[in-house]
Amino acid sequence: MSGAHGTLLMPARATRLLVEKAFEGGVRVFDTAPAYGAGKAEKRLGRALACLPRSDVFVTTKAGVSSTGLARRIRDFSPDGIERSLRGSLARLGVEGVDGLILHGPAPSELTPALLARLSDMRAAGAFLHLGVAGRGAELDAALETCAFAILMAPVHPFVGDAAQARLRAARASGMAVMGIEAAGNGPPPLRMPRKPSDLYTLARRLRAGAADSPRVAMPGALADPVLDGLADCVVMTTTRSEHMAANIAAMTALGAGG
């Protein structure tokens, strides 16, 4: 739950209905973060999931990066900062614990013994079940070396390169679950005229990114390919359109992969 779902551009009711349709279509993994809309996305996801069987969904949120709006980001990977972030996330989600807590792009130097010890204490207390890390390179390698992480969240698009693909396969071979992101590539979204208020969020991202200098591929095929190729256990995506979600679910269902 990110993007326009963390803003007033997407009505809260529309977000809830989209989550319900996703669940009906077989989607069981829902990811969010306090950095998305200064916690608004977490609140919306929590309200939407409150109507669904808790044991049937796998909920992940992140820690280490928060926001005070659309642009300003605050990093804090100190033990106290991570605990404070998780407590706030649980309150916004309306749950006692999440299935996965994912550190949101920590630098290798931020993965300190003190932080890992605090995370171990929070997991023992039931605040989360599985520890994860999100990133693109050195931070993932550092996390893998600690043997403390069960989830790796990373780009899985066709342009990530041989080294990144080798890391993903190694993580899966070691027993870690890989949650893929950016399945269509890490280039800016296509430049299209908005047809509804939520499209303004994508337009703003596209204009901020400037000219496209990174490749993208068409959806929904990109959503299924990483699973088919053995790079990821699941792929997370954000959309504000039910027709896009239906197409992605159909692509995954054709593989028998689930959501």
Side-chain angles (χ1 to χ4, degrees), residues 11-23:
R13 182 175 181 276
T15 293
R16 178 177 57 80
L17 291 175
L18 204 61
V19 170
E20 291 176 355
K21 286 181 178 293
F23 184 82

Side-chain angles (χ1 to χ4, degrees), residues 33 50 129 176 179 186 191 210 225 229-230:
L129 292 177
M176 294 181 68
M179 296 178 66
N186 60 351
L191 183 59
D225 286 347
D229 293 341

